[in-house]
Amino acid sequence: MPGIEGIDRVTYGVEDLAACQRFFLDWGLKLVREHAAGLDFESLNGCELLVRKSDDPSLPPAVEPGSTLREVIWGVRGEPDLEALRTRGLRERDSVLVGVDPNGIGLGFRVTRKRAVDVAGTPANVWGHAARIDQPSPVYERAEPVEVGHVVFFTDALDETTEFYQALGFHLSDRYPGRGHFLRCSARGGHHDLFLLQTPEAKRGLNHVAFTVRDLHEVIGGGLHMSRCGWETQLGPGRHPISSALFWYFKSPAGALVEYYADEDVLTENWQPRDFQPSPTMFAEWAIAGGIDGNTRRQRQG
Ligand SMILES: [Fe+2]
């Protein structure tokens, strides 16, 4: 199976470039290029987030109206891994193998351009394992995401889309039978890089794009900064029982939601997928509706 390492680039098609520029700068990405076609952002490890106008003819067609995600490029380790994907109905575009998944979302593979970065979360002192000695844990004034860690799509073709990604080398991590499949792009790695969600309305589209940050403290510091900047929380902070991750979701002018998350489960080939029934407490063990107000550190009333 090809060595797929994770998400290398995501591309949005949006209606309001200026709002997206403010939003992703506040979110903690670096604007590396601003040009006629749009905006090129990068996370700490060089994962790219491109923002283009929604009517840009070079983008794969949108699967829903308005601003949304148009393409996900996955990074592979090297040329042999790319070679292994060459016969899967994908075509070549500037050293990237591109195609469309059964859900209609543009996808592609390229040799990863992400770089190793010297970034580390803060160890936690848990009972029986003190990993932080003579070292206070930090307070983050804002977040600087390490990378795009996962994407989540609504689908009306859950099984077909899952089989498509499994044939490319993805592994099933957990599922809501008939409703949602958590997939990871390699046997060893974070709990999910892709989550496919089939709701009773059976629509297609983006649910969210998730950005990995160092630790819980950066989830909170990043969320408080976004709140101070005036951006609206959808839900968070909170904790997912499936994947164990701590999260904070914001409404994004680029479409749907974005998420800061940290401390997800790391799986290996020994992991056995589990089945769950969807429910609010399966989605979040706990969560703060409306976020924490960044100015008062208390929830706004009403
Ligand atoms: Fe997520």
Side-chain angles (χ1 to χ4, degrees), residues 150 152 192 208 210 240 249 259 261:
H150 63 259
V152 176
H192 58 279
H208 69 268
H240 291 305
Y249 293 95
E259 175 189 15
Y261 77 101

Side-chain angles (χ1 to χ4, degrees), residues 99-117:
V100 176
D101 78 8
N103 200 32
I105 306 289
L107 91 159
F109 297 91
R110 72 180 185 192
V111 176
T112 183
R113 296 178 199 170
K114 293 195 291 196
R115 39 184 190 261
V117 278

Side-chain angles (χ1 to χ4, degrees), residues 119-283:
V119 170
T122 310
N125 287 339
V126 294
W127 186 259
H129 184 63
R132 203 184 69 252
I133 308 293
D134 296 331
Q135 181 197 345
S137 70
V139 170
Y140 292 88
E141 288 304 319
R142 53 178 304 172
E144 277 180 298
V146 182
E147 63 180 5
V148 175
H150 63 259
V151 288
V152 176
F153 293 111
F154 292 114
T155 181
D156 58 3
L158 179 62
D159 289 334
E160 189 191 347
T161 308
T162 301
E163 283 160 23
F164 173 86
Y165 281 99
Q166 284 178 312
L168 292 168
F170 285 61
H171 299 254
L172 184 69
S173 294
D174 281 320
R175 27 175 222 181
Y176 294 120
R179 286 291 297 277
H181 293 163
F182 294 90
L183 297 158
R184 63 190 190 281
C185 62
S186 66
R188 290 177 171 244
H191 180 272
H192 58 279
D193 305 277
L194 174 67
F195 178 51
L196 301 168
L197 179 61
Q198 183 162 302
T199 61
E201 304 84 56
K203 61 173 183 169
R204 291 182 175 190
L206 176 65
N207 179 277
H208 69 268
V209 174
F211 295 76
T212 319
V213 295
R214 279 161 260 214
D215 49 38
L216 163 68
H217 309 300
E218 194 174 11
V219 171
I220 301 295
L224 290 172
H225 176 72
M226 291 299 282
S227 167
R228 283 192 296 270
C229 291
W231 301 107
E232 192 183 346
T233 290
Q234 186 258 357
L235 188 73
R239 179 188 181 253
H240 291 305
I242 302 174
S243 86
S244 307
L246 297 148
F247 66 80
W248 195 331
Y249 293 95
F250 280 85
K251 295 180 184 175
S252 165
L257 307 171
V258 288
E259 175 189 15
Y260 288 130
Y261 77 101
D263 198 20
E264 73 170 336
D265 295 329
V266 172
L267 309 184
T268 70
E269 44 284 286
N270 298 325
W271 178 259
Q272 296 297 319
R274 303 165 298 174
D275 285 350
F276 297 97
Q277 289 309 309
S279 74
T281 49
M282 249 328 138
F283 176 72

